[in-house]
Amino acid sequence: MGIYSLITGRRGPSGFGSSTTAEEVTQGIDATHLTAIITGGTGGIGMETARVMAKRGVHVVIGARNMGGAENAKAEILRQNTNARVTLLHLDLSSFKSIRAFVRDFHALHLPLNLLINNAGVMFCPYQLSEDGIELQFATNHIGHFLLTNLLLDTMKITAKTSGVEGRILNLSSIAHIYTYKEGIKFDSINDICCYSDKRAYGQSKLANILHANELSRQLQEEVVNITVNSVHPGLILTNLFQHTALLMRFLKFFSFYLWKNIPQGAATTCYVALHPNLKGVTGKYYADCNEVTTSKLARDETLAQKLWEFSVKLINSVSKKNYLGYEDTIY
């Protein structure tokens, strides 16, 4: 799947391509037995993912920082489908405290969990630290989802075992994972302001999404757990994710319109990997335009993936011990 396929919409081995929509890739799928958490499902491709999944019968739990936006998204989904099952819970992925509260709130619902779609993110932010003292793009895009996934993993394992239905975890990455710092992940200077690049910091976080998915996939395979973990690149879609570079992106889109997707097309790969029966048992892969593609060399580095895992655990535990002593001090 290359530039030609992207421009022409030519379908790949999966039977789908860049012009395929989320509704098309899920046509005929009955997912009424599934429960999914979607982070950032209040707008753009996240909301479209939630809408289409609800249309196929999934009980969708949206984790949202902006609850007003979440209520509007839910109202729109229900307007189009009065039978949709949509639950809203507050979630700020840049805050460990909020992530833990979200997990408590979800567990209080006593729901199973089949699908976890780590969709939310920030992009090209000016340098700033999260409330836990971590560079914001790395904190939100990687560390927040890493912690969330770990805290929900036991529930997913139980659901997969008791239901006999394969669980699926998706990390939304990006082609931008190839544009990162030279070493891939700046382990020794993750919060260093002097050499901060908003573009490379974003690429670093998207590389981390793939490495996280690959390492978790490896661990679950070793445990012989019926859960798959994959990464996806949704494509170029002009959404609120570009809020810090909106004018520049509109200018670039004018000259490269043939490379951009609309929102229904942008949500297609996520919905395909989350729901399509052809992906049963497929794990540790990276998808774009609903087809498996090759990542960068760094993203395929197993040693780097394991190092990132260990670094992430230590970072979360050090912050948790300092800020939340007495409540879930560590993630293990």
Side-chain angles (χ1 to χ4, degrees), residues 233-281:
H233 165 53
L236 286 171
I237 309 104
L238 194 59
T239 67
N240 288 337
L241 194 61
F242 287 103
Q243 61 180 302
H244 295 288
T245 55
L247 291 177
L248 174 61
M249 289 303 111
R250 287 191 175 91
F251 175 78
L252 292 176
K253 185 178 180 181
F254 180 80
F255 293 100
S256 58
F257 62 91
Y258 47 84
L259 298 177
W260 293 71
K261 296 182 179 182
N262 58 39
I263 288 173
Q265 293 169 341
T269 304
T270 300
C271 289
Y272 173 70
V273 178
L275 292 181
H276 205 281
N278 285 356
L279 273 291
K280 182 176 175 58

Side-chain angles (χ1 to χ4, degrees), residues 66-237:
N66 179 351
M67 293 305 289
E71 291 289 354
N72 291 338
K74 179 178 180 178
E76 179 58 22
I77 292 171
L78 289 173
R79 186 187 68 80
Q80 297 184 38
N81 175 15
T82 56
N83 295 319
R85 294 177 293 163
V86 181
T87 300
L88 308 178
L89 295 176
H90 181 263
L91 174 63
D92 180 351
L93 283 156
S94 70
S95 164
F96 291 178
K97 185 176 181 180
S98 177
I99 294 166
R100 295 186 188 280
F102 171 87
V103 173
R104 285 199 308 270
D105 292 342
F106 176 76
H107 285 156
L109 298 173
H110 303 291
L111 291 171
L113 182 57
N114 308 95
L115 307 171
L116 174 59
I117 300 175
N118 292 320
N119 166 83
V122 293
M123 185 179 190
F124 301 163
C125 303
Y127 179 84
Q128 55 185 304
L129 299 179
S130 71
E131 68 176 48
D132 298 304
I134 305 168
E135 188 275 310
L136 189 62
Q137 294 193 82
F138 193 74
T140 304
N141 298 350
H142 167 60
I143 289 292
H145 281 124
F146 181 90
L147 175 59
L148 178 69
T149 302
N150 274 278
L151 294 177
L152 291 169
L153 198 54
D154 281 346
T155 302
M156 293 198 70
K157 289 179 180 179
I158 292 169
T159 300
K161 185 175 182 178
T162 57
S163 68
V165 177
E166 177 183 87
R168 296 186 182 184
I169 298 172
L170 276 72
N171 282 357
L172 263 75
S173 181
S174 169
I175 188 67
H177 79 272
I178 66 175
Y179 187 74
T180 182
Y181 297 105
K182 182 178 180 181
E183 61 272 43
I185 308 291
K186 293 170 52 180
F187 294 110
D188 297 326
S189 54
I190 205 73
N191 292 336
D192 195 348
I193 190 173
C194 69
C195 57
Y196 177 77
S197 161
D198 58 352
K199 310 299 187 298
R200 291 190 185 277
Y202 179 71
Q204 173 182 247
S205 72
K206 295 292 101 180
L207 171 63
N209 290 151
I210 300 174
L211 293 171
H212 169 218
N214 291 350
E215 175 60 15
L216 179 56
S217 172
R218 185 191 67 78
Q219 292 183 18
L220 293 176
Q221 284 181 287
E222 281 191 356
E223 293 179 40
V224 195
V225 176
N226 190 24
I227 299 174
T228 64
V229 194
N230 293 291
S231 306
V232 304
H233 165 53
L236 286 171
I237 309 104

